[in-house]
Amino acid sequence: MNDIMLITTLLFASVLYASQRSLYFDFRRRESMPEELKRANLEMSEEEIILKKRGLFAKRRVDQVFIGKKGNWIIVDSKTRRRHEVKWNDVLQISEYRAILAETNKGIELSSHGYIRTVTNPEEKDRRKLNVKYHKVELISVSDALKLIEKNS
């Protein structure tokens, strides 16, 4: 009887895993995610990051961080907009995230670019019909972003 329970449990778990994995890859395809992100692994999602350094304190919430195939960390931030556009403040925001991650995770390689994910029809209930676009952006240097954090603290 225990063997049957074990086999049933393993079968159920494998079916559940396969269906979740399928949904995850369908999401990546449906959103026209850049190849770099499609091939990457999600490392962080909606996580708080904190910098405490020489009197400097910053607390932010990063939307997503992916680890690319080469081991580099790539930051993605989502924005709801009337049209697909990137604002300079978006670039500064994820540059600050990169600076905080660089200071708190020594030894990791952070990408010099990130992505702003814009959604122009957030009221759409069917996620398959969302109008989503990924914008690749070059980030400001870690040292300049730290200066910005210090200025705004």
Side-chain angles (χ1 to χ4, degrees):
M1 187 63 158
N2 284 341
D3 288 343
I4 293 173
M5 291 284 290
L6 178 63
I7 291 170
T8 303
T9 302
L10 289 173
L11 182 60
F12 177 75
S14 65
V15 168
L16 182 62
Y17 174 77
S19 68
Q20 291 292 70
R21 187 170 166 83
S22 175
L23 287 173
Y24 181 63
F25 285 106
D26 182 50
F27 161 78
R28 288 179 171 202
R29 192 172 40 257
R30 182 176 62 247
E31 284 209 347
S32 299
M33 208 179 236
E35 282 301 315
E36 175 181 38
L37 296 178
K38 282 182 188 176
R39 299 173 190 271
N41 292 316
L42 184 63
E43 176 68 14
M44 301 172 84
S45 182
E46 297 294 331
E47 287 191 35
E48 194 171 81
I49 53 177
I50 299 173
L51 174 64
K52 294 179 190 175
K53 177 184 167 187
R54 297 185 306 256
L56 186 60
F57 178 80
K59 181 164 76 168
R60 307 286 190 270
R61 180 168 297 279
V62 66
D63 284 352
Q64 286 90 33
V65 177
F66 290 85
I67 298 182
K69 287 296 178 190
K70 296 177 184 173
N72 57 321
W73 290 29
I74 308 159
I75 301 168
V76 177
D77 196 63
S78 296
K79 302 292 181 188
T80 302
R81 301 269 160 79
R82 291 178 194 216
R83 61 180 191 267
H84 293 294
E85 64 180 343
V86 174
K87 298 178 180 178
W88 181 240
N89 282 343
D90 301 335
V91 175
L92 297 178
Q93 181 182 3
I94 64 174
S95 294
E96 286 186 1
Y97 296 166
R98 181 173 74 141
I100 294 169
L101 290 169
E103 291 296 313
T104 57
N105 295 279
K106 297 292 185 187
I108 64 167
E109 181 185 335
L110 288 150
S111 184
S112 62
H113 67 273
Y115 289 90
I116 302 297
R117 175 185 172 267
T118 55
V119 181
T120 58
N121 62 336
E123 69 286 342
E124 177 59 60
K125 299 297 182 217
D126 186 348
R127 292 192 56 83
R128 293 172 296 183
K129 295 180 182 176
L130 284 177
N131 188 355
V132 177
K133 185 173 181 182
Y134 286 81
H135 310 266
K136 186 176 182 178
V137 295
E138 288 300 317
L139 306 178
I140 67 172
S141 71
V142 169
S143 61
D144 286 344
L146 287 171
K147 289 174 189 170
L148 186 62
I149 291 170
E150 187 173 9
K151 178 183 169 191
N152 293 329
S153 291

